Amino acid sequence: MNTKLNNRPLYEDVADRLREQIFAKQLAPGSWLDEQSLAEQFGISRTPMREAIKVLASEGLVTIKMRRGAYVTEVAKKDLEQIFCVLTLLEGEAARETAAKATEEELNQLDYWHHRLEKAAADRDIEQFFEINGKFHELIQEIAGNRWMNGVIADLRKVLKLHRKDSLMSTGRLQNSLIEQRAILNALLKRDQAGAETAMRKHLTRGLEALK
């Protein structure tokens, strides 16, 4: 039986495409999102475009200004500091929880992703490093198993994705990031809860310093 109930809503696909354009800087921070023009470009009506923009606004990637429309979010220095303050607390706790409850198989998975991170760093492949780094952190959060905390982290990281690649371009940051993540992994493999939390917090604090 063919049913449309399982089909993904159009606005979600549109949101994905807009999100990709924002991350690729095709839609630059601060730029106005012209609903009509974008709808015509995508070959859709304004309704799913409007719904897609609302999705991105809920994620913090788009800012809706009263009587002025929607704009790609510009992340100010103060915003970065506040975001990292929250992430440091939450991801530090996720690392602590993971050290306490990870299975041997899950620790092996973390080790696997870190090896891939090492290779990306050796190849100076920023795009690959950034992608694998995300998977490493996501796995830690998944193992920690707090879906409410993970939802907040995911939304904050979407906003940070507007700038995080820039931090890796600074002199020595790629190698330093790798060293910091190795410290996180080593603490997790030892099931050192306090050590894992401290290593994660240091990693995020230095990430903010690199962005500054």
Side-chain angles (χ1 to χ4, degrees), residues 20-78:
E20 289 172 4
Q21 290 186 7
I22 290 172
F23 289 153
K25 305 278 177 79
Q26 293 170 4
L27 292 171
S31 61
W32 175 54
L33 298 180
D34 183 340
E35 282 184 13
Q36 183 62 45
S37 177
L38 285 169
E40 290 174 0
Q41 176 188 327
F42 284 24
I44 60 174
S45 69
R46 291 184 68 172
T47 299
M49 178 58 66
R50 189 174 297 117
E51 291 303 310
I53 289 173
K54 288 179 181 177
V55 170
L56 298 184
S58 73
E59 297 174 356
L61 295 177
V62 166
T63 301
I64 297 177
K65 301 180 181 180
M66 191 68 69
R67 291 186 292 275
R68 293 175 59 191
Y71 295 77
V72 178
T73 298
E74 292 183 279
V75 184
K77 178 181 176 182
K78 182 179 179 182

Side-chain angles (χ1 to χ4, degrees), residues 31-137:
S31 61
W32 175 54
L33 298 180
D34 183 340
E35 282 184 13
Q36 183 62 45
S37 177
L38 285 169
E40 290 174 0
Q41 176 188 327
F42 284 24
I44 60 174
S45 69
R46 291 184 68 172
T47 299
M49 178 58 66
R50 189 174 297 117
E51 291 303 310
I53 289 173
K54 288 179 181 177
V55 170
L56 298 184
S58 73
E59 297 174 356
L61 295 177
V62 166
T63 301
I64 297 177
K65 301 180 181 180
M66 191 68 69
R67 291 186 292 275
R68 293 175 59 191
Y71 295 77
V72 178
T73 298
E74 292 183 279
V75 184
K77 178 181 176 182
K78 182 179 179 182
D79 295 321
L80 287 173
E81 291 173 348
Q82 292 177 345
I83 289 171
F84 269 93
C85 178
V86 176
L87 278 179
T88 298
L89 292 172
L90 296 184
E91 293 207 43
E93 177 61 23
R96 172 182 282 275
E97 286 293 312
T98 295
K101 64 175 61 169
T103 65
E104 285 300 317
E105 181 180 352
E106 288 169 336
L107 291 175
N108 287 337
Q109 289 174 5
L110 286 167
D111 193 34
Y112 164 78
W113 284 113
H114 190 269
H115 277 299
R116 291 202 49 191
L117 204 62
E118 297 262 8
K119 185 178 186 309
D123 294 341
R124 299 292 298 173
D125 188 336
I126 300 291
E127 288 288 338
Q128 189 74 355
F129 188 94
F130 190 76
E131 181 180 342
I132 295 170
N133 172 64
K135 292 183 183 298
F136 181 79
H137 282 265

